[in-house]
Amino acid sequence: IEAQTSKLAEEFGSVKERVDVLLSQNTVAVITGLSRKILELTKGFESFKQHTQDSLFTIRKREMARVVSIFRTRWETMYRQQDAEVLKFSFGAWRDHGNHCRTARRGYHQLELMLLERSAGARYRRWWYTTQRDRHKRDFERLTDFTSSVHVQLG
């Protein structure tokens, strides 16, 4: 314990001597120098910190660009194939749509023809009936007039 006590006393004495030397000197100049030195160290630390952050950002940016370019080269063929398939599917769907529209138009046209034939036949028959009726009526009236004139002449 005595050895430790004597060792601590020596350290305390050396610290006391340093403090006495500092007190004996012009402390204002020392404090000003220390504050200047602390400001320079702070500025240096801040600039180093900013430089480190900029370097990390640059490294990350380069690495991300490299990763993106690798990703693009790997998946570009797959995307090209997918684009070609989408284009092929779109044209096929458009062709099928055109075929369906053409079939629907053809069916509608056939329906119109069928309805026209069905209604035209009935219309034609009605027209023929009225025409023949009127013609026979006129012929009958002529025949009636002729027979009555023959009756008048004979009678």
Side-chain angles (χ1 to χ4, degrees), residues 106-116:
R106 195 176 304 129
Y108 183 73
H109 183 67
Q110 288 175 351
L111 177 68
E112 276 184 335
L113 287 176
M114 186 178 71
L115 291 175
L116 182 67

Side-chain angles (χ1 to χ4, degrees), residues 23-119:
L23 288 176
S24 66
Q25 294 178 351
N26 188 0
T27 56
V28 174
V30 172
I31 291 176
T32 308
L34 283 175
S35 63
R36 237 186 272 136
K37 188 68 172 172
I38 289 172
L39 284 174
E40 288 174 8
L41 287 173
T42 305
K43 284 181 185 177
F45 175 72
E46 290 296 324
S47 66
F48 177 74
K49 186 177 169 184
Q50 186 63 37
H51 174 70
T52 305
Q53 287 177 348
D54 290 343
S55 299
L56 286 174
F57 177 75
T58 305
I59 291 169
R60 285 182 188 148
K61 185 177 172 184
R62 268 192 249 135
E63 187 62 26
M64 287 303 291
R66 189 178 70 82
V67 167
V68 168
S69 66
I70 289 172
F71 181 77
R72 282 184 181 162
T73 55
R74 282 186 185 166
W75 299 102
E76 188 174 333
T77 55
M78 185 181 77
Y79 286 136
R80 257 193 259 130
Q81 289 172 350
Q82 285 179 350
D83 289 344
E85 288 175 9
V86 166
L87 195 61
K88 190 189 307 181
F89 176 76
S90 299
F91 282 130
W94 179 253
R95 185 191 64 227
D96 292 344
H97 174 72
N99 290 338
H100 292 310
C101 286
R102 202 173 307 115
T103 304
R105 268 191 238 113
R106 195 176 304 129
Y108 183 73
H109 183 67
Q110 288 175 351
L111 177 68
E112 276 184 335
L113 287 176
M114 186 178 71
L115 291 175
L116 182 67
E117 286 172 0
R118 191 160 195 198
S119 66

Side-chain angles (χ1 to χ4, degrees), residues 96-144:
D96 292 344
H97 174 72
N99 290 338
H100 292 310
C101 286
R102 202 173 307 115
T103 304
R105 268 191 238 113
R106 195 176 304 129
Y108 183 73
H109 183 67
Q110 288 175 351
L111 177 68
E112 276 184 335
L113 287 176
M114 186 178 71
L115 291 175
L116 182 67
E117 286 172 0
R118 191 160 195 198
S119 66
R123 285 182 186 169
Y124 180 73
R125 281 190 296 273
R126 268 187 259 132
W127 173 80
W128 183 255
Y129 172 76
T130 55
T131 306
Q132 292 300 317
R133 185 186 65 193
D134 292 344
R135 183 173 166 215
H136 289 305
K137 193 178 194 182
R138 277 184 295 199
D139 287 344
F140 185 69
E141 285 175 358
R142 269 195 232 140
L143 187 62
T144 307

Side-chain angles (χ1 to χ4, degrees), residues 11 29 72 149:
E11 287 180 18
R72 282 184 181 162
S149 73

